[in-house]
Amino acid sequence: MNNQNVDTEALEQAAVALSRYISEVTECIHKMKDAAIDCSDNMGSDVISRRNIEELNDSLRRLEPAVREAAELRAAILDKKLEIEDL
């Protein structure tokens, strides 16, 4: 970061935006899991419903790593912010 100004406020805003993303996606994942359970309870052994629930669960499994990566990025941003502030 030679001769560059780094706006720590912008880093904080990015971290806040990632926090919001993590929270909202996590909430949606929980809602979709609950909906899949409700669908399973209501439809029982319906082949089409069961297949759709499986596809939904596959999609949710793919979303969970994205949330973890966002959390790791948020942590890295906050670490960098602290590092800059300590300079």
Side-chain angles (χ1 to χ4, degrees):
M1 298 204 181
N2 299 337
N3 297 327
Q4 291 181 345
N5 291 331
V6 176
D7 185 358
T8 56
E9 194 171 310
L11 292 174
E12 180 67 29
Q13 290 173 353
V16 168
L18 281 168
S19 292
R20 191 174 312 118
Y21 167 82
I22 292 165
S23 175
E24 290 177 8
V25 171
T26 300
E27 182 180 335
C28 288
I29 288 171
H30 290 294
K31 286 180 181 179
M32 287 187 279
K33 284 182 177 180
D34 289 345
I37 291 169
D38 288 345
C39 180
S40 178
D41 289 346
N42 293 329
M43 302 304 285
S45 61
D46 175 48
V47 175
I48 295 171
S49 297
R50 191 171 53 234
R51 183 179 38 207
N52 288 330
I53 291 168
E54 289 172 8
E55 290 176 8
L56 174 64
N57 286 330
D58 286 342
S59 296
L60 296 176
R61 280 191 286 278
R62 288 190 297 257
L63 278 174
E64 290 169 345
V67 172
R68 282 193 299 275
E69 288 177 26
E72 291 169 3
L73 178 58
R74 180 186 173 279
I77 289 171
L78 292 175
D79 287 347
K80 182 56 81 175
K81 178 182 176 262
L82 288 175
E83 178 183 318
I84 293 167
E85 290 173 342
D86 287 344
L87 295 176

